[in-house]
Amino acid sequence: MIVVTGATGRLGRLVVDGLLESVPADHVVAAVRNPGKAADLAARGVKIKEADYERPETLKGVFAPGDTVLFISGDAVGRRLGQHRAVVDAARAAEVARIVYTSVLHADTTPLALAADHRGTEEHIRASGIPFTFLRNGFYTEVYAASVLQGVEHGVIFGAAGEGRVASAARADFAAAAVAVLTREEDGDKIYELSGDTAWSLPELAAEVSAATGRPVVYQDLPHADYRQALIDAGLPEPAATMYADIDLDIVRGALSPTPGELSALIGRPTTPLRESVAAILKEA
């Protein structure tokens, strides 16, 4: 069986959709926090199990001996390590065959503050003795959806990344990589550093939004402290504002630069260009 945790999330649904193109539905388990949100998956023949990272008692019985588990990381940055350890412990107790974990690009060396939880999770997986595959994902281009829409509304995209470059890829690209790994035999422990084929800067993002809408959109670079305050003024809690402003500094340092070829090699095609992702964001808005 292939178990996908967080299966009703934006990445999880794409993975399940991809799996159902080549794997019988009764070989797929969707482990979800709210089973009611997975009714459409159940209707397609996928087995649904409750699995709430914040409630370890729900993890018992989710996994079985011989399962391959796609463990999609939680979104509670800064407090998810305990949750992640509970998932790994449940998988180990069940004697699963492999755990495939969605980590972050260069988790062991990156300066990104959000990587700490991933490093801790990777360490716990290694210590568990479960054969593993780490999908160290770069940024999803969709992370910048708010910036794209801000550019459309106000004609300006703010940031503190200067000419720093981001080798993002579409969420669907990373989902396709997960499907590729889950549906083939993996010998030994594997680590994949996954990023888009081409890195881009925030000024280039603004230019793509302008080209897509026919409206003038520019990028305005701010000092780190001013950008952090602008995020707070826009309604972000201070810890989140600090994290996002710090990410821009890390971008300047090259933390999200590309690892050429690994993602496109896994999915068997080039990664989605920035222009296509911007168009998709605008279409969904």
Side-chain angles (χ1 to χ4, degrees), residues 145-158 206 209-210 213 215-218 234 282 285:
S147 295
V148 169
L149 299 181
Q150 178 190 67
V152 173
E153 183 176 358
H154 300 291
V156 61
I157 292 174
F158 296 100
V209 177
S210 182
T213 61
R215 304 175 186 176
V217 179
V218 299
L282 293 172

Side-chain angles (χ1 to χ4, degrees), residues 5 69-73 81 83-92 96-104 107 117-136 188-191:
T5 72
V69 178
L70 174 64
F71 175 19
I72 295 178
S73 57
L81 182 54
Q83 300 171 6
H84 287 184
R85 286 173 174 162
V87 175
V88 174
D89 290 347
R92 178 180 57 189
V96 304
R98 175 171 293 274
I99 190 163
V100 180
Y101 173 65
T102 61
S103 189
V104 70
D117 293 339
H118 292 296
R119 279 194 293 271
T121 303
E122 288 190 4
E123 291 168 2
H124 199 65
I125 292 172
R126 290 178 190 273
S128 75
I130 303 171
F132 65 79
T133 300
F134 294 154
L135 300 176
R136 288 178 170 174
D189 298 330
K190 301 284 187 180
I191 298 176

Side-chain angles (χ1 to χ4, degrees), residues 38-101:
D40 59 317
L41 299 179
R44 297 167 69 183
V46 175
K47 188 171 184 178
I48 310 300
K49 292 186 179 182
E50 183 181 10
D52 187 338
Y53 296 172
E54 293 188 340
R55 296 164 55 220
E57 67 274 12
T58 67
L59 302 173
K60 297 177 180 178
V62 171
F63 310 115
D67 284 347
T68 296
V69 178
L70 174 64
F71 175 19
I72 295 178
S73 57
D75 58 6
V77 177
R79 61 182 180 84
R80 56 186 166 177
L81 182 54
Q83 300 171 6
H84 287 184
R85 286 173 174 162
V87 175
V88 174
D89 290 347
R92 178 180 57 189
E95 299 181 347
V96 304
R98 175 171 293 274
I99 190 163
V100 180
Y101 173 65

Side-chain angles (χ1 to χ4, degrees), residues 154-253:
H154 300 291
V156 61
I157 292 174
F158 296 100
E163 293 290 337
R165 306 187 75 76
V166 179
S168 70
R171 186 177 282 109
D173 296 335
F174 293 107
V179 171
V181 167
L182 292 167
T183 55
R184 71 184 189 185
E185 292 293 331
E186 290 266 84
D187 295 325
D189 298 330
K190 301 284 187 180
I191 298 176
Y192 296 99
E193 304 285 358
L194 304 178
S195 66
D197 294 333
T198 304
W200 47 268
S201 66
L202 287 174
E204 289 170 342
L205 175 64
E208 290 292 356
V209 177
S210 182
T213 61
R215 304 175 186 176
V217 179
V218 299
Y219 171 64
Q220 183 173 340
D221 198 56
L222 300 174
H224 173 270
D226 292 351
Y227 181 46
R228 175 183 176 276
Q229 187 59 50
L231 293 172
I232 293 171
D233 293 343
L236 277 185
E238 287 193 23
T242 298
M243 181 184 71
Y244 283 117
D246 287 351
I247 284 172
D248 272 20
L249 292 184
D250 292 330
I251 288 171
V252 174
R253 300 183 186 113

